[in-house]
Amino acid sequence: HYAKEACDIEYLFPFGWGEINGTHNRTNYDLSRHQEFSGVKQEYLDVDTNEKFIPYIIESTYGLDRTVLAVLCEAYDEEEIAEGDVRTVLHLHPAIAPYKIAVLPLSKKLSEKADELYTKLSKKFMCDYDEAGSIGKRYRRQDEIGTPYCITIDYDTETDNCVTIRNRDTMEQDRINISEIKNYINIQMDKFKI
């Protein structure tokens, strides 16, 4: 009875359609009722026409929790890499991924170099550090939380000063010099600019 027009934006969640945004032209109903019961004038004076009127209200509701849930549902994926081998991955846009980079020493014996790199990179990027378990399991853990890039320090890093950077979405790996990491990540992130 009070809405002249209404428009909802909905998303198809795994459990069914759900509203993310509702925008309604509530006319001057809300302010008229407020004026009627409070006795406080809600009129606006148009200085050009000298006309008084009660403004229309355009109400827009936005559910952050529902929007975040929609983003997570959209990003969640289970990819069959090989028969019986399913990779769970959260394809979050790098701008909203909690961690941009994970630093992974191939062995705990390489922790000192990895920790040094982690400290350096964490000044510029949100980083995670993981040295527990096999490198494959660590890649999978980072895939599940949506980390776009994993940097692996291996036994050759000491001699060639290079690391391997793995892309979450393509699983491709590039071997680059440690001095080029910041530039490499910045270039990769620029590809995703909104």
Side-chain angles (χ1 to χ4, degrees), residues 1 43 57 72-73 75 111 117 123 129 165 185 187:
H1 68 285
E43 296 171 334
I57 300 294
L72 291 174
C73 289
S111 294
L117 182 59
K123 292 177 183 173
Y129 183 92
I165 299 184
I185 297 297
I187 289 170

Side-chain angles (χ1 to χ4, degrees), residues 116-131:
E116 179 185 311
L117 182 59
Y118 168 81
T119 301
K120 182 178 176 183
L121 291 174
S122 63
K123 292 177 183 173
K124 173 105 172 118
F125 306 103
M126 288 299 295
C127 297
D128 191 15
Y129 183 92
D130 189 354
E131 62 181 16

Side-chain angles (χ1 to χ4, degrees), residues 128-145:
D128 191 15
Y129 183 92
D130 189 354
E131 62 181 16
S134 73
I135 194 68
K137 287 182 180 178
R138 288 185 272 162
Y139 282 154
R140 293 289 177 97
R141 283 196 295 264
Q142 294 302 321
D143 291 345
E144 287 178 359
I145 64 171

Side-chain angles (χ1 to χ4, degrees), residues 23-95:
T23 302
H24 302 164
N25 176 351
R26 296 176 60 91
T27 69
N28 61 4
Y29 177 82
D30 294 330
L31 292 177
S32 295
R33 299 290 286 172
H34 183 72
Q35 179 174 282
E36 179 182 348
F37 289 100
S38 71
V40 177
K41 295 283 186 195
Q42 299 295 313
E43 296 171 334
Y44 171 81
L45 174 63
D46 184 329
V47 292
D48 293 332
T49 64
N50 209 28
E51 175 189 4
K52 287 185 179 180
F53 61 92
I54 297 177
Y56 276 27
I57 300 294
I58 305 298
E59 173 194 42
S60 186
T61 60
Y62 177 78
L64 182 61
D65 55 344
R66 290 172 279 173
T67 301
V68 170
L69 181 58
V71 168
L72 291 174
C73 289
E74 194 66 28
Y76 181 83
D77 196 9
E78 292 179 351
E79 302 172 345
E80 187 169 1
I81 297 175
E83 192 170 326
D85 185 11
V86 177
R87 174 176 90 124
T88 301
V89 60
L90 199 57
H91 292 283
L92 290 172
H93 189 287

Side-chain angles (χ1 to χ4, degrees), residues 5-11 17-25 59-62 66:
E5 195 71 40
C7 173
D8 292 336
I9 297 173
E10 294 189 339
Y11 178 81
W17 287 98
E19 180 185 316
I20 294 175
N21 170 272
T23 302
H24 302 164
N25 176 351
E59 173 194 42
S60 186
T61 60
Y62 177 78
R66 290 172 279 173

